[in-house]
Amino acid sequence: MHRMVGMTVALCVAGASVTALGLGWFSDKLYNRVRPGELAYKPMEDMPPRVDMASIQRDWPAGFSEAGEGSRVIAYHRDMRGKAPVAVAGSAAGAAPAPPPDLGALLASADAGAGKQKVQLCMSCHDFSQGGPNRIGPNLWGVVGRPVASHAGFAYSSAMQAHRGSWSYENLFAFLAAPAREVPGTKMTFAGLRNPADRAALIKYLATLGTGAPPLPQPKAIAAR
Ligand code: HEC
């Protein structure tokens, strides 16, 4: 008889603990519990990029059943990618944007020799010799001053063809900082050279290839006199 009571108590205890464990598991599923050492919110970097629903609705292709709709939507999203939300005036904690670097001054002090070294970064895709071949990217002999997307025999992306103008010092300076930002949809999958001095040196070297490059822009201090 004593054994029976003992067994019953043991079974009850076992049953109760199984139930407790089960409830714990179940409530874990129900509520997203924050464990110690974990953040209760997602840090900014983990958030998906902000999507401007208003402009998507506004710009969403109206004739959605037409042929080519898919590529239009994809092109649109590619265009939107990486774009920062429009800043609300006065919201940026009083931080004035840094003045753009004076390209004239940067180029004047830039070292074309150092630029020649930097060009190694481009050589997996570009040839820089006179009459040289197109590779993954077009031949870049004489590119400074050359109309955009104009090198014979190279199949430019439609994004690059739409970029118009010519490769002035200013355009190259902006493009090489972040190709995909300057020309959204470009085939040039190169992240960009962030350092302005590096870019200036590289462009100064590019200007020595061929005779088509316009004269270097004047530093602002001199131009203002
Ligand atoms: C991963 C390959 C790759 C690398 C690396 C690369 N490019 Fe390009 N580049 C391309 C491609 C592809 C195009 C054509 C882009 C298009 O049609 O959208 C291009 C286009 C260009 C153009 C426009 C040329 C024209 O005729 O309009 C310039 C200028 C240029 N690249 C400069 C550079 C420089 C300078 C570097 C090194 C800092 C570099 N690229 C690195 C692939 C590359």
Side-chain angles (χ1 to χ4, degrees):
M1 193 61 194
H2 270 245
R3 273 190 69 186
M4 273 298 271
V5 172
M7 279 281 273
T8 318
V9 169
L11 276 175
C12 282
V13 170
S17 31
V18 166
T19 314
L21 278 174
L23 274 178
W25 175 84
F26 191 58
S27 72
D28 253 2
K29 301 279 145 208
L30 267 185
Y31 306 102
N32 248 335
R33 224 191 267 169
V34 179
R35 292 182 179 72
E38 230 179 40
L39 291 176
Y41 55 88
K42 276 187 153 228
M44 266 311 266
E45 302 84 71
D46 287 1
M47 298 291 243
R50 211 170 106 183
V51 174
D52 179 358
M53 285 316 282
S55 65
I56 287 187
Q57 275 172 349
R58 192 181 58 230
D59 301 340
W60 194 260
F64 206 64
S65 51
E66 285 169 30
E69 53 179 337
S71 34
R72 275 212 309 279
V73 173
I74 290 165
Y76 173 79
H77 281 278
R78 195 187 287 140
D79 196 29
M80 293 286 292
R81 187 167 55 199
K83 282 196 182 152
V86 180
V88 180
S91 69
D102 174 13
L103 185 54
L106 271 176
L107 283 168
S109 61
D111 172 10
K116 188 174 181 182
Q117 295 300 312
K118 283 282 159 210
V119 138
Q120 306 278 344
L121 292 170
C122 329
M123 287 194 162
S124 49
C125 299
H126 290 287
D127 184 277
F128 290 86
S129 61
Q130 183 170 18
N134 293 322
R135 293 210 179 125
I136 295 172
N139 177 282
L140 291 183
W141 170 266
V143 71
V144 181
R146 183 166 99 185
V148 170
S150 66
H151 192 67
F154 185 79
Y156 290 93
S157 65
S158 46
M160 187 58 83
Q161 287 172 37
H163 191 56
R164 300 182 198 283
S166 70
W167 289 118
S168 63
Y169 293 99
E170 291 78 7
N171 284 347
L172 278 169
F173 191 70
F175 176 64
L176 294 176
R181 187 191 62 202
E182 269 309 291
V183 183
T186 177
K187 290 202 288 190
M188 174 155 148
T189 52
F190 174 75
L193 281 174
R194 292 193 63 183
N195 186 325
D198 285 352
R199 264 179 286 148
L202 194 144
I203 294 166
K204 197 169 184 176
Y205 169 68
L206 291 181
T208 67
L209 307 175
T211 52
L216 293 175
Q218 290 284 305
K220 281 218 177 77
I222 296 174
R225 270 185 219 157

